Amino acid sequence: MSGALLLLADGRFPAGGHAHSGGAEAAVKAGLVHDADGLAAFLTGRLHTTGLTAAGLAAAAAGGFDPAGLDEAADARTPSPALRATSRRLGRQLLRAARVCWPDPVLDGLAAAYPGGAHQSVVLGLAARAAALAPADAALAAAHESVNGPATACTRLLGLDPYQVVAVLARLAPELDLVAEAATRAAAEAVRRQDAQPLPAASAPLLDLFAERHNAWKVRLFAS
Amino acid sequence: MAGALTVPAPPAAPAARIVAALDGREDQITVLPVLSGAGPLALRRLRAGQRTGPAEVALVGAMAAPLGGDRIAVSVRVEAGARLRVTSVAATVSLPGPQPGPAWYDVELAVAAGAVLEWLPEPVVAAAGSHLLLTTRITLDAGARLRYREEQILGRRHDWTVHGVPGRLTSRLTVRQAGRLILDQQTDLGPGAPGWDGPAVLAGHRAAGQLLTVGLPCTAPSEECAALLALPGTDAHLLVAVAPDGLALRRLLTGPL
Amino acid sequence: MHRDHPTDEFGTPRVTVLSSGRRRALRIGLGGPVGSGKTATVAALCRALRAELSLAVVTNDIYTTEDAEFLLRHAVLPPERITAVETGCCPHTAIRDDISANLEAVEDLEAAVGPLDLVLLESGGDNLTATFSRGLVDAQIFVIDVAGGDKIPRKGGPGVSGSDLLVINKTDLAPLVGADLAVMARDAKAQRGELPTLFCSLVDPDGVAPIAGWVRERLARWRAH
Ligand SMILES: Nc1nc2c(ncn2[C@@H]2O[C@H](COP(=O)(O)OP(=O)(O)OP(=O)(O)O)[C@@H](O)[C@H]2O)c(=O)[nH]1
Ligand SMILES: [Mg+2]
């Protein structure tokens, strides 16, 4: 079923991600990322924090964990109101595309229950499930999304050599696999216990600060 | 790698315990029916005999704790209407133990309706070679009020000058309000935590902290390296900050005096 | 480019009815190069049509909300009828390849201030190849100006050759920049065949009238359908 996974994880999948930088725009503006090495360090931190957390939520959703419980877990794992709003907006946009690609009453129910949008990672997991993908696929797609978006954003923001940027992503790929595996294991445990506690809750102080700071800017290239 | 994914549940350790309650006979006076130290943690009552304001207890690290391998636990319950403030007499310095391996520190705080808990200990400092797994679970009934401060300092000056690295602090904070999960957050800082020093996590800052306020006044910071986050629950705010050192962090969390 | 068929080119029915059973608003996109007069057209259309139609506007700015603020400042519509979408460096992506944010903005407007007759969507100023997806708009206007040089219609591109209406704006500047309107008209005709082209100057008091007339006609067709 890897065809559906490639589609879901493709940066061109029309789910709104292109307008978001995942904190990269604020990190660039703060002078903390200006070259490929800085990008690699940024992506490593993001992958192992919000990437891991999103991967766990996505895998749990794909594994059949109650979406309402996951929505609460995602809210609690996202203390920044700006990031909660972004996650729900992107969740809503992703759901729109997923319902057309993989019609499923569960997705319809999610849209009805969360008119303002469910969290992106939860939608991703349920979309994967609707596409008959496994929790591990959902985790991988979420982990990939957590680094792919900011990498593309940095290509645009910094005019980085695109070959260097994809090379950074390629070097990160083995870690991406590990993060997805860890998230999948934790999600299986959460599903077994019907308790979100085992799901990763990894966070990064600066990503929260960046999100709030960026949200207050009047002039910016990316929505987040 | 994704090693510190979830903090492994520490084997049960006897916990230092505090229970604060309203004096049954004299309203508005908080008494401490339970106040018992355990392991390296001693508890000292401050302002005893005072008839106004909250009851106050200081945590005293009776030994240099925690060392790798230690298991420390504190459990606090504030009963309906009572007011308690907990501080500590000094920073908690996490040190490597005789054998490699982490130390565990478990904090369990429960606050009932109409009660107030102020949890304002001195920072936790991670010395080179140490790894502390800090787990804090806070349970708030509807109408419970809270001020909870947590400060994490990566290394003493000595750790940086001699070893060039601090220790590692893995901290998970879980907060429930009236049964609803409103905050579940893990930070993993220090050598071994991927990306911890990079531009997404600390970017060279050596101190990180937060002040969680529920049902009590709080002010938004003006500095760039701090932000006041409205949590999903009712009147719950998290002031988060990063700073070059502990002093600067305390200033950010205390606000303009 | 867009015909009023109930199905698209793949035979998929186009959703034109809201869940409430009401026919949704006609959506018209305005694209074109930076500074050609898209916002000026939107503002003038709002002033010309707001008395007779229920209107809303979605702007797509590249890195500010300048266009939305211009419209707010000039009070062409009440603020709740104007929404800005952020496009992350890629204005054409937001109107063509990934239209989700714009669709959501339109639907939110319709839910908040509806029922609406007409929604105008302004693209961020972009290049000559940037056009709207038919999943987003029912018709599109491509706005160019004479100041860009009288060569633009000859250069063609999807906006010039395929838009439902080509507007060549700022004719008042033609003598100043040495643009030959006859050449532009001839080239536009060659690129567009039967599709309409309008010359206008929005600094003229009633300069938007021909465009407003075209919009009214589209709306009549949309309603009759
Ligand atoms: N002389 C003249 N100036 C005009 C005309 N129409 C618009 N302008 C001016 O051209 C400038 C750009 O117009 P806008 O409407 O902001 O152009 P736009 O296409 O929305 O620009 P972007 O959104 O930045 O791509 C403004 O200063 C307008 O006042 C016109 O017919 N004649
Ligand atoms: Mg404009």
Side-chain angles (χ1 to χ4, degrees):
Chain A
M1 299 307 281
S2 56
L5 173 58
L6 293 178
L7 188 61
L8 192 57
D10 189 337
R12 284 166 302 181
F13 194 70
H18 72 94
H20 296 262
S21 81
E25 184 171 22
V28 166
K29 181 80 169 279
L32 297 174
V33 174
H34 35 74
D35 56 13
D37 289 343
L39 175 63
F42 180 83
L43 296 181
T44 301
R46 191 163 203 274
L47 172 65
H48 286 275
T49 54
T50 53
L52 174 64
T53 302
L57 290 162
F65 197 103
D66 161 45
L70 285 180
D71 196 76
E72 180 180 304
D75 248 0
R77 284 162 172 74
T78 319
S80 151
L83 286 180
R84 284 200 299 279
T86 296
S87 171
R88 290 192 182 280
R89 191 174 319 138
L90 286 171
R92 187 175 153 193
Q93 289 175 251
L94 174 59
L95 188 56
R96 176 189 290 275
R99 287 171 76 191
V100 180
C101 294
W102 302 287
D104 183 330
V106 173
L107 298 183
D108 298 342
L110 193 70
Y114 299 95
H119 281 285
Q120 184 189 21
S121 50
V122 179
V123 177
L124 182 60
L126 288 174
R129 191 175 170 83
L133 292 169
D137 298 324
L140 201 54
H144 173 72
E145 200 273 339
S146 78
V147 292
N148 200 47
T152 310
C154 281
T155 312
R156 297 183 192 165
L157 288 165
L158 292 166
L160 292 181
D161 176 349
Y163 298 106
Q164 279 192 22
V165 172
V166 283
V168 165
L169 288 173
R171 281 194 292 276
L172 215 52
E175 275 185 64
L176 206 124
D177 291 340
L178 290 176
V179 163
E181 278 165 27
T184 307
R185 272 196 309 277
E189 175 69 4
V191 170
R192 196 182 60 73
R193 284 169 39 187
Q194 281 304 300
D195 179 0
Q197 195 279 334
L199 295 178
S203 72
L206 278 179
L207 288 180
D208 287 340
L209 291 174
F210 286 156
E212 293 296 314
R213 201 184 292 177
H214 186 270
N215 192 42
W217 293 354
K218 278 195 77 63
V219 177
R220 60 192 185 200
L221 285 165
F222 289 88
S224 80
Chain B
M1 288 305 99
L5 178 58
T6 47
V7 182
R17 290 179 61 222
I18 310 172
V19 175
L22 280 185
D23 186 325
R25 295 151 303 173
E26 276 190 87
D27 223 19
Q28 307 312 321
I29 294 192
T30 297
V31 292
L32 301 174
V34 178
L35 185 68
S36 59
L41 267 187
L43 303 175
R44 184 189 302 151
R45 171 107 211 230
L46 306 177
R47 302 177 71 245
Q50 295 271 354
R51 304 184 58 84
T52 57
E56 262 193 71
V57 173
L59 302 169
V60 184
M63 299 176 263
L67 295 176
D70 279 353
R71 287 146 196 183
I72 300 173
V74 188
S75 155
V76 177
R77 203 169 80 235
V78 189
E79 308 275 23
R83 298 160 61 95
L84 175 67
R85 176 182 299 152
V86 181
T87 57
S88 67
V89 297
T92 301
V93 182
S94 165
L95 297 165
Q99 266 97 50
W104 289 265
Y105 200 138
D106 256 30
V107 179
E108 192 100 41
L109 309 177
V111 189
V116 185
L117 172 63
E118 293 175 275
W119 178 263
L120 303 168
E122 293 305 302
V124 176
V125 183
S130 72
H131 185 187
L132 183 64
L133 299 171
L134 191 59
T135 307
T136 307
R137 270 183 293 265
I138 303 179
T139 309
L140 304 171
D141 289 350
R145 290 181 287 170
L146 175 77
R147 179 166 287 125
Y148 166 91
R149 183 177 68 207
E150 136 185 319
E151 293 166 319
Q152 306 184 345
I153 315 291
L154 289 162
R156 302 157 294 183
R157 184 176 302 276
H158 162 85
D159 295 303
W160 288 98
T161 50
V162 177
H163 304 277
V165 287
R168 179 172 176 182
L169 276 172
T170 308
S171 169
R172 182 148 181 183
L173 171 61
T174 308
V175 185
R176 283 182 183 278
Q177 183 185 47
R180 175 183 179 191
L181 188 66
I182 61 165
L183 179 63
D184 196 350
Q185 176 202 56
Q186 178 170 308
T187 50
D188 193 4
L189 308 174
W196 73 275
D197 203 19
V201 184
L202 280 188
H205 293 96
R206 292 173 185 182
Q210 39 198 17
L211 183 70
L212 170 63
T213 311
V214 180
L216 293 170
C218 56
T219 40
S222 50
E223 272 89 348
E224 280 247 297
C225 43
L228 186 66
L229 313 175
L231 297 182
T234 306
D235 199 11
H237 292 88
L238 188 69
L239 175 60
V240 296
V242 295
D245 57 45
L247 267 179
L249 180 66
R250 177 64 61 89
R251 262 198 305 277
L252 288 170
L253 294 181
T254 313
L257 293 172
Chain C
M1 183 179 291
H2 298 149
R3 307 281 179 264
D4 277 344
H5 293 312
T7 58
D8 69 13
E9 69 209 285
F10 306 109
T12 318
R14 297 179 61 192
V15 183
T16 53
V17 178
L18 299 173
S19 53
S20 61
R22 246 186 53 82
R23 192 173 183 73
R24 69 158 171 77
L26 177 70
R27 300 169 185 168
I28 294 183
L30 292 100
V34 177
S36 60
K38 298 179 291 297
T39 304
T41 307
V42 168
L45 280 175
C46 287
R47 289 195 192 97
L49 299 171
R50 65 190 172 194
E52 59 193 271
L53 298 175
S54 175
L55 295 173
V57 173
V58 178
T59 64
N60 281 243
D61 279 305
I62 305 185
Y63 51 85
T64 59
T65 47
E66 183 109 14
D67 284 349
E69 274 159 27
F70 177 90
L71 297 172
L72 288 172
R73 225 173 24 248
H74 290 82
V76 299
L77 286 180
E80 66 275 12
R81 289 174 179 264
I82 301 170
T83 298
V85 163
E86 290 174 287
T87 59
C89 286
C90 256
H92 55 269
T93 304
I95 59 162
R96 185 182 61 201
D97 310 85
D98 183 349
I99 56 177
S100 52
N102 270 300
L103 280 174
E104 239 127 68
V106 173
E107 289 171 5
D108 286 350
L109 279 169
E110 205 134 17
V113 299
L116 294 170
D117 301 307
L118 175 66
V119 180
L120 300 173
L121 292 100
E122 182 188 341
S123 162
D126 207 323
N127 59 54
L128 293 175
T129 66
T131 52
F132 285 84
S133 158
R134 65 180 62 207
L136 178 59
V137 300
D138 305 300
Q140 59 188 301
I141 303 174
F142 201 71
V143 183
I144 60 174
D145 65 7
V146 304
D150 57 18
K151 65 193 180 296
I152 304 258
R154 188 165 63 247
K155 282 190 170 178
V160 165
S161 59
S163 58
D164 299 288
L165 175 67
L166 178 67
V167 169
I168 301 177
N169 185 30
K170 308 193 192 176
T171 51
D172 55 302
L173 299 181
L176 300 174
V177 298
D180 187 335
L181 298 184
V183 166
M184 294 184 93
R186 191 194 64 213
D187 291 343
K189 175 80 186 154
Q191 293 282 352
R192 295 174 55 77
E194 292 308 306
L195 290 168
T197 301
L198 292 174
F199 284 87
C200 73
S201 165
L202 291 172
V203 290
D204 291 352
D206 208 17
V208 80
I211 309 176
W214 180 87
V215 169
R216 281 195 196 92
E217 189 226 318
R218 290 300 297 215
L219 194 62
R221 272 206 271 160
W222 171 253
R223 284 170 166 163
H225 203 72

